[in-house]
Amino acid sequence: MESLEKEALLAQDYLSRISEEAERKFDEYLPSPKDRPCRLHEAMRYSMFAGGKRLRPALVKASFDLFKGKGESVYLAMSALEMLHTFSLIHDDLPCVDNDDYRRGKLTSHKQFGEATAVMAGDALCVLAFELMGKTGNAKAIEVLAHLLGTFGMIGGEMTDIECEGKPVDLEIVDYIHYHKTAALIEAALKVGALLAGASDKEIEAIQNYGRAIGLAFQIVDDILDIVSTTEELGKDAGSDIEKGKATYPSILGLEKSRTRAMELYEESIKALDALEMDTGILRSIAAFIITRVK
Amino acid sequence: MESLEKEALLAQDYLSRISEEAERKFDEYLPSPKDRPCRLHEAMRYSMFAGGKRLRPALVKASFDLFKGKGESVYLAMSALEMLHTFSLIHDDLPCVDNDDYRRGKLTSHKQFGEATAVMAGDALCVLAFELMGKTGNAKAIEVLAHLLGTFGMIGGEMTDIECEGKPVDLEIVDYIHYHKTAALIEAALKVGALLAGASDKEIEAIQNYGRAIGLAFQIVDDILDIVSTTEELGKDAGSDIEKGKATYPSILGLEKSRTRAMELYEESIKALDALEMDTGILRSIAAFIITRVK
């Protein structure tokens, strides 16, 4: 584990560098709070600038650069992916869904702006993401992204997650939920970066396999942290999964087996990268970061 | 007015023919309620098949055909536009927004399926619409559509509409709200059809002017009908605008001046078509239909 933590340092540097770059772009692409409808624009910015690791933009960039992409379209896609992630968080936090008051240590959108504005802010971020994707000129990337975001991807996972709350579930369902609600958008970030760079089908398959593995690992680690961390460390309500009767890996397999499963997924992700025979240092480090992170 | 009603008959025939064609496509493109997440897929279909004039798909088709478009992409766009319209209705009906129990004579989505599912069904229809648009291969059409749908278009209008409820407003604001919340998506339908058909910039400008005029006229007629019709005739709560203190044309100008404004917009729309020097019979008739409709 210690060598993995060392390996993760490169990813931490990369993430903080990309965060700065990405946030400058968010500011450029997000509508001004001086323009009508002002409060809605303010709400969109509030949630987009509420912090976070900016993992999805970093994955878009790392994949785009790996496949030698050229041009500015990558910044549009990086911003689009973070907007889509933020859209999903705002709607998930709503009283009728997860009913969360805090996210990343700040009031959630509906607590800060009211429910109607939160619904619309989520909608508006989703739509703006597709406007930015339209500007990339790559319709195929839009199709792939929307598919992984929709009912056979992220939204399908969220819906099933809600439906299964408090019900007995098996590993098949937990796998389905976790793959869809979390891994699908992580996979999408990598595929969009690869598509914009003009990667081959074989390359896209490899990056997809990597994405699925780290995506699932990411959610398992999230579930573990929800149990072993404090609310202060997480910046969101710790222990909330158990409280809500959420279907998680630790609730089915226990902590130790969940950790083992996360490590297996890490190994799978590295194997997927090996198939590429390229310098995949950044992506390797990101996998190590995901498996060793403490918040 | 009598000759306008005669003129509108062609549009009525066209709309009922296109409805059938469009609904077969909706059925093809919407996910099956047998696939997970079943209830969400059911909710998407419930709202998509709750009736309606299918005006936006008809406008996509009429514009695409006018500019001699070829191929199947038009069906993708027709379905996408109706999905986006339905997405906006589902979210507008939510308790935290307009809090409506009925729409087109049926229970609204959140009344039928619960709030969380209604939020997700709206989200899923929006995302699926962009997946279908991605399949058209036309990234420019996606950019234009998303822009007219976002905070500088439909969503901007809805948000301002909500914010202005019960407050004194002037004609400038009512124009802003109506243009954005209704005309923008109608304009988008026409522009998307034209872009997919490969229309010239000059042609797109003309169709845009037509769209803005009939879009605004459509909303003014809607506001008038909300006052002069019964709930049974409308299939939704009549008189609800006044009850909610909504900013409408009749509330500012009175019924008679609102009717005059709608007629002026009709004339504007016909003038925009005249600039095209093409056989615009269907679009003329649709303008007449919009101005003479009784529900």
Side-chain angles (χ1 to χ4, degrees), chain A residues 37 40 116 119-120 123-124, chain B residues 84-93 97-98 103 149-151 153-165 176-182 185 246:
Chain A
L40 182 61
V119 170
M120 297 287 155
D123 291 350
Chain B
L84 293 170
H85 176 52
T86 307
F87 140 68
S88 79
L89 299 181
I90 294 174
H91 283 190
D92 271 355
D93 287 337
V97 187
D98 278 356
R103 160 83 62 185
L149 190 68
T151 64
M154 189 188 78
I155 293 175
E158 288 171 351
M159 193 70 234
T160 310
D161 193 21
I162 300 165
E163 287 175 346
C164 289
E165 265 182 33
Y176 169 90
I177 292 174
H178 284 23
Y179 168 64
H180 287 81
K181 86 169 177 180
T182 306
L185 198 60
K246 285 268 185 198

Side-chain angles (χ1 to χ4, degrees), chain A residues 1-2 30 53 62 67 83 93 105 129 133 142 149 152 159 166 173 184 203 230 236 249-251 274 276 278 282:
Chain A
M1 207 64 177
E2 210 173 291
L30 283 165
K53 291 174 281 293
F67 299 116
M83 287 176 191
D93 288 336
M133 287 302 299
I142 296 168
L149 189 69
F152 295 112
M159 192 71 233
I173 281 276
E203 288 168 335
T230 64
K236 60 183 178 184
Y249 265 82
S251 72
D274 286 341
L276 281 169
M278 293 168 128
I282 295 286

Side-chain angles (χ1 to χ4, degrees), chain B residues 1-10 285 288:
Chain B
M1 207 64 176
E2 211 173 290
S3 69
L4 273 182
E5 274 152 13
K6 209 175 276 170
E7 172 114 36
L9 291 176
L10 175 64
S285 174

Side-chain angles (χ1 to χ4, degrees), chain B residues 36-47:
Chain B
R36 195 187 274 168
C38 310
R39 203 173 147 73
L40 182 60
H41 291 159
E42 204 190 310
M44 291 163 78
R45 286 175 168 267
Y46 174 85
S47 294

